[in-house]
Amino acid sequence: MSIFKARVKEFEDVLAGPQDLIDLKQLRKLAFNGVPDVQSFRALSWKLLLGYLGPRRSSWTTTLAQKRALYKQFIEELVLPPGHSSNRASVDGGDGDKVDSGGVGLQDHPLSEGPESAWNTFFNDNEFLLQIDKDVRRLCPDISFFQQPTDYPCEIVVHSKGEHGRRLHERVVPAVLSSANVERKGLGMTKINLITKRSVENYAAMEEGQEAHWEVVQRILFIYAKLNPGQGYVQGMNEIVGPIYYVMASDPDLTYRAHAEADCFFCFTALMSEIRDFFIKTLDDAEGGIKFMMARLSNMLKSKDLSIYELLRSQELHPQYYSFRWLTLLLSQEFPLPDVLRIWDSVFADEQRFDFLIKICCSMILIQKEAILENDFASNVKLLQNYPPIDINVVIAHAGSLA
């Protein structure tokens, strides 16, 4: 039996064996060395390692049904425009008559600026939605996956029946001036009627009834931001959710793939609960903050190779110039997507979670020792900000050798 087949058999024994209780310790051990890119191994392993699914297989059906139903509710309440039939309710009109909240009342009028106005919230959301829209459109540009249509579009969103705003990108597509009609009556003020049309350049989206994978990711990030107003959306979260969604939406098991959006959302939320401090500036100096993590990397480099540490210090090449992005985005920007997935297998399997991430970052520097010691400041910045192509298994093996 080949080594690969033997590893597949080990994963089958853990994930698809007759026992009800998954041996998480054994799964971590196996996943740490990389999850075979076959069957549903990676998607299922990540769901378990991130805590979305519990170790008892018998609980999965109930957990998945409840979570997916909850996510559908999030879409209806947070994504669909105010007054949509799915988020209407019968309310007391004050004189005993029942009024459909889908009708336009004082608070529900689109021009209402009251703090309780659903429309006011709707328009305010567009501020961070614009940033999400920009970011998801450049997800993993080296592959076409995110521009491709999903086989499982969100039905209540893509069948808009002419209703504007169900598809999030429609809310923030910029308008361009098409023409202006000038009217002048007598000695009064000149009246200019501006006629705008939607800009279609670089904003191609799917036709009615379809949606691209990037649109699904946009919705996931929008809902996350709505449910976490204290944090909201921070640029870079798109790079965290992208690989998770790719794994879920590429699951060979179509019964799972059909629910990639909901499953990705909860896996992403679980991961963000661990790294959210990276994205909150006021917590930079906290133990889980990004400055603390960069200091740990710097101290590890100092202990492993003083010559590199001293050179970078003498060049005033501070860790934030390169390791801020490495750590915050879990190396998702430094390597091709398949390599990122391999790195994340180990990171998610690490019970200490980010200890091994720091070791990988340290190894990335140590492996380039010869070039770093010869380079000047500018060349080293370029090297560390645009890490050269390398066999990712070499980096991971090196990291595994660090005490």
Side-chain angles (χ1 to χ4, degrees):
M1 184 183 292
S2 69
I3 295 176
F4 179 76
K5 285 185 177 178
R7 292 188 61 243
V8 169
K9 176 71 166 58
E10 287 181 313
F11 273 90
E12 285 177 340
D13 291 343
V14 171
L15 295 174
Q19 72 284 358
D20 181 49
L21 190 65
I22 300 290
D23 186 343
L24 286 181
K25 186 175 181 181
Q26 178 66 4
L27 177 61
R28 285 194 184 95
K29 181 180 176 182
L30 292 174
F32 188 81
N33 293 312
V35 181
D37 199 16
V38 295
Q39 301 182 38
S40 298
F41 289 158
R42 177 169 280 126
L44 183 54
S45 294
W46 284 17
K47 287 170 187 168
L48 287 160
L49 294 172
L50 290 170
Y52 174 43
L53 290 178
R56 289 201 176 277
R57 190 183 283 105
S58 56
S59 70
W60 293 356
T61 301
T62 302
T63 297
L64 291 172
Q66 289 176 342
K67 293 290 190 181
R68 290 164 180 174
L70 178 60
Y71 187 76
K72 184 173 184 288
Q73 187 180 336
F74 289 158
I75 292 176
E76 292 173 348
E77 295 180 1
L78 301 175
V79 174
L80 300 185
H84 178 269
S85 58
S86 291
N87 47 34
R88 289 180 183 179
S90 236
V91 296
D92 195 323
D95 54 2
D97 294 329
K98 295 293 180 182
V99 178
D100 182 351
S101 66
V104 178
L106 286 178
Q107 292 296 344
D108 276 337
H109 193 283
L111 296 182
S112 170
E113 294 184 359
E116 301 299 319
S117 166
W119 281 104
N120 188 43
T121 302
F122 179 80
F123 292 127
N124 287 339
D125 290 343
N126 290 352
E127 294 179 20
F128 67 83
L129 179 55
L130 181 60
Q131 186 61 58
I132 294 176
D133 190 75
K134 289 178 181 176
D135 292 347
V136 295
R137 288 174 187 270
R138 15 179 218 248
L139 251 181
C140 302
D142 295 337
I143 61 172
S144 63
F145 174 81
F146 288 97
Q147 282 71 49
Q148 300 296 321
T150 171
D151 293 329
Y152 303 96
C154 180
E155 297 297 330
I156 57 175
V157 169
V158 297
H159 296 292
S160 61
K161 299 170 185 173
E163 182 182 17
H164 177 69
R166 289 197 198 186
R167 304 180 77 147
L168 292 174
H169 64 84
E170 290 179 343
R171 302 189 198 174
V172 290
V173 172
V176 294
L177 186 62
S178 176
S179 61
N181 294 336
V182 180
E183 297 177 23
R184 181 155 191 169
K185 296 181 179 178
L187 298 176
M189 185 182 299
T190 300
K191 181 182 179 183
I192 303 177
N193 296 321
L194 300 180
I195 301 172
T196 61
K197 66 178 180 180
R198 287 191 170 277
S199 173
V200 294
E201 296 82 3
N202 304 319
Y203 280 85
M206 296 288 153
E207 299 293 325
E208 176 84 358
Q210 287 188 310
E211 62 182 346
H213 289 296
W214 67 260
E215 296 180 66
V216 182
V217 173
Q218 181 178 49
R219 192 161 51 243
I220 292 170
L221 290 169
F222 178 79
I223 291 173
Y224 178 82
K226 290 282 288 179
L227 292 173
N228 295 273
Q231 181 184 28
Y233 174 74
V234 179
Q235 201 168 7
M237 289 181 181
N238 57 308
E239 308 295 351
I240 299 295
V241 74
I244 299 175
Y245 176 76
Y246 176 83
V247 168
M248 302 300 159
S250 303
D251 195 325
D253 186 336
L254 301 186
T255 59
Y256 276 102
R257 191 190 296 187
H259 299 282
E261 180 177 354
D263 293 348
C264 172
F265 172 81
F266 288 106
C267 287
F268 171 67
T269 299
L271 179 56
M272 284 303 302
S273 71
E274 298 184 41
I275 64 171
R276 68 190 305 271
D277 290 1
F278 294 1
F279 291 89
I280 300 176
K281 193 168 180 59
T282 54
L283 295 177
D284 278 358
D285 295 310
E287 190 169 326
I290 193 63
K291 283 185 180 176
F292 182 81
M293 293 286 284
M294 288 191 293
R296 284 182 61 190
L297 171 58
S298 189
N299 289 335
M300 179 177 286
L301 177 63
K302 184 178 181 180
S303 68
K304 298 300 177 187
D305 196 306
L306 191 60
S307 62
I308 301 178
Y309 173 84
E310 292 290 1
L311 179 84
L312 295 179
R313 192 177 176 191
S314 69
Q315 291 180 345
E316 297 187 359
L317 205 168
H318 305 296
Q320 56 263 39
Y321 291 169
Y322 56 93
S323 65
F324 179 88
R325 187 177 72 187
W326 290 5
L327 294 165
T328 303
L329 304 183
L330 308 183
L331 294 170
S332 61
Q333 290 288 278
E334 315 315 314
F335 300 101
L337 182 60
D339 291 353
V340 173
L341 304 185
R342 173 62 192 89
I343 291 169
W344 286 17
D345 288 341
S346 295
V347 171
F348 294 165
D350 179 13
E351 275 197 276
Q352 305 303 318
R353 190 66 87 215
F354 303 115
D355 281 7
F356 193 67
L357 175 65
I358 290 174
K359 287 182 179 179
I360 294 175
C361 293
C362 189
S363 289
M364 288 167 63
I365 301 171
L366 296 174
I367 287 170
Q368 300 296 333
K369 177 177 180 174
E370 189 176 334
I372 289 173
L373 293 180
E374 289 179 1
N375 284 346
D376 59 10
F377 170 83
S379 299
N380 276 331
V381 169
K382 184 177 180 181
L383 171 71
L384 296 173
Q385 288 187 350
N386 300 278
Y387 201 78
I390 189 172
D391 181 348
I392 196 60
N393 292 304
V394 170
V395 180
I396 290 173
H398 190 286
S401 71
L402 298 179

